[in-house]
């Protein structure tokens, strides 16, 4: 029996979460180190998956399959394709940085009287989210995926509602009220999406008789499973609605700015760089593979929604006064690009969308974590409270600039390649939508450069005159992310080689081929 690598990669952070939570309250530092070591061990397993995966091999590799609820056709089935491998690697990579960046975010607060916060619980919850996200990327049983797709809401709810930095701006009671509102809004939006998906999951079982993704897709491909047109469309909408909430896609996006604004910066990274990727990943794995005809039927509307997300998110980012909410609205715009690439139904678009998921995770982590370091020094999220930071903290300002330039997809940094592929893939099939989406790049340049100008340049404000530069721990968090942004911007081939075969198989599922060029190349 081969070693269950996929199970181990998800189980290790889950067991680590239990162990971290069990550390005595007086041993906060020990709990932090335990969580960090577990995340590094999980990263090692993620790299092992990356190394062992063969892009030219079977579609799903490292598979595991065991009976679970046999009477209802539910199995414990895991397997990874190239898209899942890339996102597992991203998740395993980011969690150690999230833990390091949040090293002091759950320490006791001094607010008139000392308020205790469960430090162990904070880091245990981060590991729990990691475990659930990883197994969501691995699950090839629809019911198993649904369980963890919903379960990850619980630790995220407590991370948003129980920990936050808004106490810097308000009294404890006001801060707690805002965090509670953001956490409840996050939970309700995603629960509604999950309940609608549950109805669709049950409907899929009624039609197919089991929950195995591979078996259902194979039965559909060879003609032994037929779905009525209306049935397929309703099931598709049930799945897509839940994924669009998680992504988030306009108009189901409104929970994200509240959640990211009230969470600590590391938890905000966990939301948008890790958890939200499950939504866009699931569109590729489940919507297109299980419901190919319905996916093509819904494509025009979805492309319009993605286009609105791109422009709307960018416009709202331009008008923000709050640094973290600006990054949140920028992420809504970026997720619009990802969905656009997925439903452009071209190899360039879907490869770009998958690459965008990885690159957006790295770039958003870099920008948001540096922004978190900045906010912790000044005690304010308001852009107007800063000015001249580059004169007193040049390293902080420099890393903030690189993160900002990555957000606007500057050539030479990783997001440029993915955004370019999405636009090329979209333009080849839907030129009008591709042209309009390009305006999102112009708006991105506006909101990121204005943000940098107002916070980092100009006269030094008295409140930032003594601001310290990045400390060694903070540099250890940011420097590897900056290196990755540059490396993948110059040489994205390691990721594209892994994801391209899976993209071609996904296009084959929906019976789509790349459009032929209107002008043939000269021979």
């Amino acid at each position: 029996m081969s070693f269950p690598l996929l199970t181990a990669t998800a189980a290790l952070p889950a067991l680590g979460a239990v162990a971290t939570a069990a550390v005595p309250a007086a041993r906060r530092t020990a709990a932090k180190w335990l969580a960090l070591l577990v995340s590094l061990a999980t990263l090692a397993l993620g790299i092992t998956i990356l190394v062992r995966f063969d892009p030219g091999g079977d579609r799903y590799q490292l598979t595991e399959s065991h009976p679970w609820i046999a009477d209802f056709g539910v199995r414990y089935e895991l397997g990874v394709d190239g898209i899942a491998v890339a996102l597992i690697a991203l998740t395993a990579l980011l969690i150690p940085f999230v833990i390091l960046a949040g090293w002091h975010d759950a320490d006791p607060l001094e607010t008139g009287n000392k308020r205790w916060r469960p430090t162990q619980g904070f880091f245990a919850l981060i590991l729990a989210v990691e475990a659930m996200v990883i197994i969501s990327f691995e699950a090839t049983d629809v019911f198993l995926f649904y369980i963890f797709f919903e379960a990850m809401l619980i630790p995220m709810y407590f991370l948003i509602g129980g920990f936050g930095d808004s106490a810097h701006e308000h009294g404890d009671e006001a801060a707690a009220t805002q965090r509670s509102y953001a956490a409840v809004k996050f939970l309700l939006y995603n629960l509604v999406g999950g309940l609608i998906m549950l109805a669709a999951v049950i409907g899929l079982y009624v039609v197919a008789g089991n929950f195995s993704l591979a078996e259902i897709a194979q039965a559909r491909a060879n003609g032994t499973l037929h779905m009525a047109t209306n049935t397929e469309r309703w099931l598709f909408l049930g799945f897509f609605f839940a994924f669009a909430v998680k992504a988030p896609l306009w108009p189901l996006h409104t929970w994200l700015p509240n959640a990211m604004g009230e969470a600590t910066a590391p938890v905000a990274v966990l939301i948008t760089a890790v958890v939200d990727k499950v939504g866009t990943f699931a569109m590729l794995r489940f919507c297109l593979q299980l419901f190919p005809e319905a996916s093509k039927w819904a494509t025009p509307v979805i492309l319009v929604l993605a286009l609105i997300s791109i422009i709307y998110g960018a416009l709202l980012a331009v008008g923000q006064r709050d640094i973290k909410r600006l990054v949140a609205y920028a992420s809504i715009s970026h997720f619009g690009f990802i969905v656009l690439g997925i439903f452009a139904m071209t190899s360039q678009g879907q490869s770009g969308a998958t690459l965008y998921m990885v690159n957006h995770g790295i770039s958003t982590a870099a920008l948001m974590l540096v922004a978190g370091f900045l906010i912790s020094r000044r005690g304010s999220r308001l852009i107007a409270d800063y000015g001249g930071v580059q004169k007193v903290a040049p390293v902080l300002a420099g890393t903030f600039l690189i993160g900002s330039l990555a957000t606007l997809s500057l050539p030479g940094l990783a997001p440029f390649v993915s955004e370019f592929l999405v636009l090329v893939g979209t333009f080849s099939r839907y030129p009008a939508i591709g042209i309009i989406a390009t305006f999102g790049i112009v708006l991105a340049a506006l909101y990121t450069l204005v943000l940098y100008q107002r916070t980092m340049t100009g006269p030094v404000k008295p409140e930032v005159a003594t601001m310290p530069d990045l400390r060694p721990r903070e540099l250890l968090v940011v420097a590897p992310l900056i290196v990755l942004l540059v490396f993948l911007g110059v040489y994205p081939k390691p990721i594209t080689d892994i994801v391209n075969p899976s993209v071609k198989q996904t296009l084959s599922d929906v019976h789509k081929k790349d459009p032929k060029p209107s002008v043939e190349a000269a021979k």
Side-chain angles (χ1 to χ4, degrees):
M1 181 178 178
S2 60
F3 178 71
L5 180 58
L6 298 187
T7 294
T9 307
L12 180 59
L15 294 174
V18 174
T20 302
V23 174
R27 304 290 300 276
R28 291 190 180 89
T29 302
K32 296 175 184 180
W33 279 106
L34 176 60
L36 180 61
L37 290 174
V38 169
S39 70
L40 291 172
T42 305
L43 175 58
L45 290 177
I47 293 172
T48 304
I49 293 175
L50 194 65
V51 171
R52 290 186 57 183
F53 182 80
D54 177 13
D58 295 337
R59 180 170 192 171
Y60 293 110
Q61 300 178 30
L62 306 174
T63 55
E64 302 173 32
S65 182
H66 307 283
W68 184 19
I69 311 174
D71 291 342
F72 296 98
V74 180
R75 297 183 63 83
Y76 177 80
E77 284 190 347
L78 305 180
V80 290
D81 59 4
I83 299 169
V85 167
L87 293 175
I88 290 170
L90 171 70
T91 302
L93 172 71
L94 290 181
I95 296 301
F97 297 125
V98 167
I99 290 173
L100 274 174
W103 201 252
H104 298 299
D105 285 358
D107 289 347
L109 290 176
E110 297 286 354
T111 54
N113 58 348
K114 194 171 186 178
R115 182 159 72 87
W116 178 81
R117 293 196 293 183
T119 303
Q120 291 87 335
F122 178 76
F123 294 99
L125 290 170
I126 291 174
L127 291 176
V129 171
E130 179 181 24
M132 294 176 186
V133 169
I134 287 175
I135 202 167
S136 296
F137 291 140
E138 297 173 343
T140 55
D141 181 278
V142 177
F143 190 80
L144 179 67
F145 169 82
Y146 174 78
I147 292 292
F148 290 99
F149 180 81
E150 287 293 275
M152 70 180 70
L153 301 180
I154 299 169
M156 285 306 310
Y157 169 81
F158 288 109
L159 282 170
I160 297 168
F163 305 89
D165 59 2
S166 54
H168 293 299
E169 301 172 45
H170 309 285
D172 282 348
E173 185 175 348
T177 299
Q178 290 187 23
R179 288 198 302 272
S180 177
Y181 171 78
V184 170
K185 190 173 183 179
F186 161 82
L187 187 65
L188 289 179
Y189 267 67
N190 284 275
L191 277 179
V192 169
L195 288 173
I196 293 174
M197 180 182 169
L198 177 60
V201 169
I202 295 171
L204 180 66
Y205 175 75
V206 171
V207 173
N210 65 79
F211 294 104
S212 172
L213 174 66
E215 290 183 18
I216 296 172
Q218 182 61 36
R220 297 222 63 190
N222 61 28
T224 58
L225 173 61
H226 300 280
M227 287 188 195
T229 299
N230 286 338
T231 300
E232 180 177 348
R233 290 177 179 179
W234 280 111
L235 293 177
F236 168 85
L237 290 174
F239 277 76
F240 180 80
F241 183 86
F243 303 152
V245 172
K246 184 84 79 179
L249 185 68
W250 183 92
L252 306 171
H253 67 284
T254 59
W255 62 267
L256 183 65
N258 295 101
M260 288 184 65
E262 297 306 320
T264 64
V267 173
V269 170
L270 199 61
I271 295 169
T272 191
V274 176
V275 171
D276 287 356
K277 298 300 187 300
V278 178
T280 47
F281 162 80
M283 292 178 190
L284 279 165
R285 170 166 282 191
F286 296 102
C287 287
L288 270 60
Q289 192 169 343
L290 293 175
F291 315 111
E293 297 306 318
S295 296
K296 290 186 284 189
W297 162 76
T299 288
V301 174
I302 295 173
L303 291 177
V304 170
L305 295 179
L307 191 59
I308 294 173
S309 289
I310 292 169
I311 304 302
Y312 173 85
L315 284 173
L316 265 65
V318 170
Q320 288 303 306
R321 297 181 296 172
D322 182 309
I323 297 173
K324 291 168 72 176
R325 288 179 71 91
L326 185 152
V327 178
Y329 280 110
S331 290
I332 291 170
S333 181
H334 295 149
F335 275 104
F337 276 109
I338 294 171
V339 176
L340 188 69
I342 292 171
F343 284 89
M345 302 291 187
T346 60
S347 59
Q348 299 98 328
Q350 291 188 355
S351 292
T354 304
L355 192 60
Y356 212 132
M357 291 186 229
V358 175
N359 292 338
H360 173 263
I362 298 170
S363 63
T364 298
L367 179 59
M368 179 59 84
L369 292 179
V370 176
F373 299 148
L374 180 69
I375 291 167
S376 67
R377 286 159 164 73
R378 173 67 176 83
S380 173
R381 305 195 312 248
L382 298 179
I383 296 172
D385 288 341
Y386 296 87
V389 173
Q390 67 180 14
K391 296 178 182 177
V392 297
V395 178
L396 188 154
T399 53
F400 191 82
L401 176 62
I402 295 173
S404 300
L405 294 176
T407 299
L408 66 82
S409 300
L410 183 77
L413 297 176
F416 168 77
V417 181
S418 44
E419 198 162 280
F420 177 77
L421 285 173
V422 167
L423 290 172
V424 168
T426 303
F427 187 83
S428 65
R429 198 180 291 278
Y430 304 99
I433 291 178
I435 291 170
I436 298 172
T438 306
F439 286 99
I441 302 175
V442 178
L443 293 171
L446 180 61
Y447 63 70
T448 53
L449 294 178
V450 168
L451 170 65
Y452 183 84
Q453 180 189 36
R454 292 178 178 175
T455 54
M456 301 295 161
T457 66
V460 178
K461 291 202 170 185
E463 294 84 358
V464 304
T466 58
M467 180 178 289
D469 213 333
L470 290 182
R471 303 178 178 94
R473 172 181 61 85
E474 296 166 337
L475 275 172
L476 185 62
V477 171
V478 177
L481 297 175
I482 299 299
V483 171
L484 276 173
L485 286 175
V486 176
F487 175 77
L488 294 176
V490 176
Y491 190 65
K493 190 174 183 292
I495 299 179
T496 56
D497 283 351
I498 292 173
V499 304
N500 282 345
S502 297
V503 164
K504 291 179 181 178
Q505 290 169 326
T506 303
L507 278 178
S508 177
D509 291 333
V510 291
H511 311 294
K512 283 283 191 178
K513 296 181 179 179
D514 288 331
K516 292 184 178 180
S518 56
V519 179
E520 294 290 340
K523 295 183 180 180

